[in-house]
Short mmCIF file of all heavy atoms in Angstrom, two decimals:
data_model
loop_
_atom_site.label_atom_id
_atom_site.label_comp_id
_atom_site.label_asym_id
_atom_site.label_seq_id
_atom_site.Cartn_x
_atom_site.Cartn_y
_atom_site.Cartn_z
N ASP A 234 3.81 -20.77 11.42
CA ASP A 234 3.29 -21.75 10.47
C ASP A 234 1.87 -21.42 10.07
O ASP A 234 1.50 -21.49 8.89
CB ASP A 234 3.34 -23.16 11.08
CG ASP A 234 4.74 -23.72 11.18
OD1 ASP A 234 5.65 -23.18 10.50
OD2 ASP A 234 4.93 -24.69 11.94
N ASP A 235 1.03 -21.07 11.06
CA ASP A 235 -0.36 -20.72 10.78
C ASP A 235 -0.46 -19.52 9.87
O ASP A 235 -1.23 -19.49 8.91
CB ASP A 235 -1.10 -20.43 12.08
CG ASP A 235 -1.29 -21.65 12.95
OD1 ASP A 235 -1.24 -22.78 12.42
OD2 ASP A 235 -1.48 -21.47 14.17
N MET A 236 0.34 -18.51 10.16
CA MET A 236 0.27 -17.27 9.39
C MET A 236 0.82 -17.45 7.97
O MET A 236 0.28 -16.90 7.01
CB MET A 236 1.01 -16.13 10.12
CG MET A 236 0.30 -15.71 11.40
SD MET A 236 1.03 -14.26 12.20
CE MET A 236 2.51 -15.01 12.90
N ALA A 237 1.88 -18.25 7.86
CA ALA A 237 2.41 -18.53 6.52
C ALA A 237 1.37 -19.27 5.69
O ALA A 237 1.16 -18.97 4.50
CB ALA A 237 3.70 -19.34 6.63
N ALA A 238 0.70 -20.23 6.30
CA ALA A 238 -0.34 -20.97 5.59
C ALA A 238 -1.49 -20.06 5.18
O ALA A 238 -2.05 -20.20 4.09
CB ALA A 238 -0.85 -22.12 6.47
N GLU A 239 -1.84 -19.12 6.05
CA GLU A 239 -2.92 -18.18 5.73
C GLU A 239 -2.54 -17.29 4.56
O GLU A 239 -3.37 -17.02 3.66
CB GLU A 239 -3.28 -17.35 6.96
CG GLU A 239 -4.24 -16.20 6.69
CD GLU A 239 -5.59 -16.64 6.16
OE1 GLU A 239 -5.97 -17.83 6.33
OE2 GLU A 239 -6.27 -15.80 5.54
N LEU A 240 -1.31 -16.81 4.53
CA LEU A 240 -0.88 -15.96 3.42
C LEU A 240 -0.85 -16.77 2.11
O LEU A 240 -1.22 -16.25 1.04
CB LEU A 240 0.49 -15.36 3.70
CG LEU A 240 0.54 -14.30 4.80
CD1 LEU A 240 1.96 -13.80 5.02
CD2 LEU A 240 -0.38 -13.13 4.46
N GLU A 241 -0.45 -18.01 2.19
CA GLU A 241 -0.46 -18.86 1.00
C GLU A 241 -1.90 -19.13 0.54
O GLU A 241 -2.17 -19.17 -0.66
CB GLU A 241 0.26 -20.17 1.30
CG GLU A 241 1.78 -19.97 1.43
CD GLU A 241 2.50 -21.22 1.87
OE1 GLU A 241 1.85 -22.11 2.47
OE2 GLU A 241 3.72 -21.31 1.63
N ARG A 242 -2.81 -19.26 1.49
CA ARG A 242 -4.22 -19.43 1.13
C ARG A 242 -4.75 -18.17 0.41
O ARG A 242 -5.45 -18.27 -0.59
CB ARG A 242 -5.05 -19.68 2.40
CG ARG A 242 -6.56 -19.79 2.12
CD ARG A 242 -7.35 -19.88 3.41
NE ARG A 242 -8.79 -19.88 3.14
CZ ARG A 242 -9.73 -19.81 4.08
NH1 ARG A 242 -9.40 -19.73 5.36
NH2 ARG A 242 -11.01 -19.80 3.75
N ARG A 243 -4.39 -17.00 0.93
CA ARG A 243 -4.84 -15.76 0.29
C ARG A 243 -4.28 -15.62 -1.12
O ARG A 243 -4.94 -15.10 -2.00
CB ARG A 243 -4.45 -14.56 1.15
CG ARG A 243 -5.16 -14.55 2.50
CD ARG A 243 -4.79 -13.34 3.35
NE ARG A 243 -5.35 -13.45 4.69
CZ ARG A 243 -5.30 -12.49 5.60
NH1 ARG A 243 -4.68 -11.34 5.33
NH2 ARG A 243 -5.85 -12.66 6.80
N ARG A 244 -3.04 -16.07 -1.29
CA ARG A 244 -2.48 -16.01 -2.65
C ARG A 244 -3.19 -16.98 -3.56
O ARG A 244 -3.47 -16.68 -4.72
CB ARG A 244 -0.97 -16.30 -2.62
CG ARG A 244 -0.34 -16.19 -4.00
CD ARG A 244 1.16 -16.29 -3.96
NE ARG A 244 1.62 -17.58 -3.48
CZ ARG A 244 2.89 -17.96 -3.46
NH1 ARG A 244 3.84 -17.12 -3.87
NH2 ARG A 244 3.24 -19.13 -3.00
N GLU A 245 -3.49 -18.17 -3.05
CA GLU A 245 -4.17 -19.18 -3.86
C GLU A 245 -5.59 -18.74 -4.22
O GLU A 245 -6.02 -18.89 -5.37
CB GLU A 245 -4.22 -20.50 -3.09
CG GLU A 245 -4.95 -21.62 -3.80
CD GLU A 245 -4.25 -22.08 -5.07
OE1 GLU A 245 -3.01 -21.99 -5.13
OE2 GLU A 245 -4.96 -22.51 -6.02
N GLU A 246 -6.33 -18.21 -3.26
CA GLU A 246 -7.73 -17.86 -3.47
C GLU A 246 -7.93 -16.48 -4.11
O GLU A 246 -8.88 -16.29 -4.89
CB GLU A 246 -8.47 -17.91 -2.14
CG GLU A 246 -8.55 -19.30 -1.54
CD GLU A 246 -9.27 -19.32 -0.20
OE1 GLU A 246 -9.60 -18.23 0.35
OE2 GLU A 246 -9.51 -20.43 0.34
N LEU A 247 -7.07 -15.52 -3.77
CA LEU A 247 -7.27 -14.15 -4.20
C LEU A 247 -6.17 -13.62 -5.12
O LEU A 247 -6.36 -12.60 -5.79
CB LEU A 247 -7.35 -13.22 -2.99
CG LEU A 247 -8.46 -13.53 -1.98
CD1 LEU A 247 -8.29 -12.66 -0.72
CD2 LEU A 247 -9.83 -13.34 -2.59
N GLY A 248 -5.03 -14.29 -5.13
CA GLY A 248 -3.92 -13.82 -5.96
C GLY A 248 -3.05 -12.79 -5.27
O GLY A 248 -2.18 -12.19 -5.91
N VAL A 249 -3.23 -12.58 -3.97
CA VAL A 249 -2.46 -11.58 -3.24
C VAL A 249 -1.05 -12.08 -2.98
O VAL A 249 -0.86 -13.11 -2.32
CB VAL A 249 -3.15 -11.21 -1.90
CG1 VAL A 249 -2.23 -10.34 -1.06
CG2 VAL A 249 -4.48 -10.54 -2.16
N SER A 250 -0.05 -11.34 -3.48
CA SER A 250 1.34 -11.76 -3.27
C SER A 250 2.19 -10.65 -2.65
O SER A 250 3.31 -10.91 -2.21
CB SER A 250 1.97 -12.15 -4.61
OG SER A 250 1.89 -11.08 -5.55
N TYR A 251 1.68 -9.43 -2.63
CA TYR A 251 2.40 -8.29 -2.06
C TYR A 251 1.68 -7.90 -0.77
O TYR A 251 0.55 -7.43 -0.79
CB TYR A 251 2.37 -7.16 -3.07
CG TYR A 251 3.23 -5.93 -2.73
CD1 TYR A 251 4.13 -5.90 -1.67
CD2 TYR A 251 3.11 -4.78 -3.51
CE1 TYR A 251 4.89 -4.77 -1.40
CE2 TYR A 251 3.87 -3.65 -3.26
CZ TYR A 251 4.75 -3.65 -2.21
OH TYR A 251 5.51 -2.53 -1.94
N VAL A 252 2.34 -8.13 0.36
CA VAL A 252 1.71 -7.94 1.66
C VAL A 252 2.49 -6.86 2.43
O VAL A 252 3.72 -6.93 2.54
CB VAL A 252 1.69 -9.26 2.46
CG1 VAL A 252 1.05 -9.04 3.82
CG2 VAL A 252 0.97 -10.34 1.66
N SER A 253 1.77 -5.91 2.98
CA SER A 253 2.41 -4.88 3.78
C SER A 253 1.89 -4.92 5.21
O SER A 253 0.79 -5.41 5.49
CB SER A 253 2.17 -3.48 3.17
OG SER A 253 0.80 -3.19 3.10
N VAL A 254 2.72 -4.39 6.11
CA VAL A 254 2.39 -4.40 7.53
C VAL A 254 2.84 -3.07 8.13
O VAL A 254 3.76 -2.43 7.61
CB VAL A 254 3.07 -5.61 8.22
CG1 VAL A 254 4.59 -5.42 8.24
CG2 VAL A 254 2.54 -5.84 9.63
N ASP A 255 2.20 -2.66 9.20
CA ASP A 255 2.57 -1.43 9.86
C ASP A 255 3.95 -1.55 10.48
O ASP A 255 4.39 -2.61 10.92
CB ASP A 255 1.54 -1.13 10.97
CG ASP A 255 1.72 0.27 11.55
OD1 ASP A 255 2.49 0.39 12.51
OD2 ASP A 255 1.11 1.21 11.02
N GLY A 256 4.67 -0.41 10.50
CA GLY A 256 6.02 -0.39 11.04
C GLY A 256 6.11 -0.85 12.49
O GLY A 256 7.18 -1.28 12.93
N ALA A 257 5.01 -0.77 13.24
CA ALA A 257 5.02 -1.24 14.62
C ALA A 257 5.30 -2.72 14.71
O ALA A 257 5.76 -3.21 15.75
CB ALA A 257 3.66 -0.94 15.28
N PHE A 258 5.08 -3.45 13.61
CA PHE A 258 5.26 -4.91 13.62
C PHE A 258 6.47 -5.36 12.80
O PHE A 258 6.57 -6.54 12.46
CB PHE A 258 4.00 -5.58 13.04
CG PHE A 258 2.72 -5.14 13.70
CD1 PHE A 258 1.68 -4.61 12.94
CD2 PHE A 258 2.53 -5.27 15.07
CE1 PHE A 258 0.50 -4.21 13.54
CE2 PHE A 258 1.35 -4.88 15.68
CZ PHE A 258 0.33 -4.34 14.91
N ILE A 259 7.38 -4.44 12.50
CA ILE A 259 8.48 -4.76 11.58
C ILE A 259 9.31 -5.97 12.06
O ILE A 259 9.70 -6.82 11.25
CB ILE A 259 9.39 -3.53 11.36
CG1 ILE A 259 10.45 -3.82 10.30
CG2 ILE A 259 10.01 -3.04 12.66
CD1 ILE A 259 11.25 -2.59 9.90
N GLU A 260 9.55 -6.08 13.35
CA GLU A 260 10.36 -7.20 13.88
C GLU A 260 9.53 -8.47 13.98
O GLU A 260 9.98 -9.54 13.61
CB GLU A 260 10.92 -6.82 15.25
CG GLU A 260 11.86 -5.61 15.24
CD GLU A 260 13.20 -5.91 14.54
OE1 GLU A 260 13.54 -7.09 14.35
OE2 GLU A 260 13.89 -4.92 14.21
N GLU A 261 8.31 -8.35 14.50
CA GLU A 261 7.46 -9.53 14.71
C GLU A 261 7.08 -10.20 13.39
O GLU A 261 6.93 -11.42 13.33
CB GLU A 261 6.20 -9.14 15.48
CG GLU A 261 6.44 -8.69 16.91
CD GLU A 261 6.79 -7.22 17.02
OE1 GLU A 261 7.09 -6.58 15.99
OE2 GLU A 261 6.75 -6.69 18.16
N PHE A 262 6.95 -9.41 12.36
CA PHE A 262 6.53 -9.95 11.05
C PHE A 262 7.71 -10.54 10.27
O PHE A 262 7.52 -11.30 9.32
CB PHE A 262 5.89 -8.83 10.23
CG PHE A 262 5.08 -9.29 9.05
CD1 PHE A 262 3.81 -9.81 9.22
CD2 PHE A 262 5.60 -9.20 7.76
CE1 PHE A 262 3.06 -10.24 8.13
CE2 PHE A 262 4.86 -9.62 6.66
CZ PHE A 262 3.58 -10.14 6.86
N ALA A 263 8.93 -10.23 10.70
CA ALA A 263 10.12 -10.62 9.96
C ALA A 263 10.26 -12.13 9.68
O ALA A 263 10.73 -12.50 8.60
CB ALA A 263 11.37 -10.09 10.67
#
Side-chain angles (χ1 to χ4, degrees):
D234 287 344
D235 292 338
M236 291 186 286
E239 172 60 21
L240 290 178
E241 289 173 338
R242 177 187 176 188
R243 295 181 187 187
R244 183 172 63 174
E245 178 65 31
E246 295 178 353
L247 302 172
V249 172
S250 58
Y251 187 9
V252 180
S253 60
V254 68
D255 189 271
F258 307 123
I259 186 172
E260 298 290 343
E261 293 86 346
F262 196 77

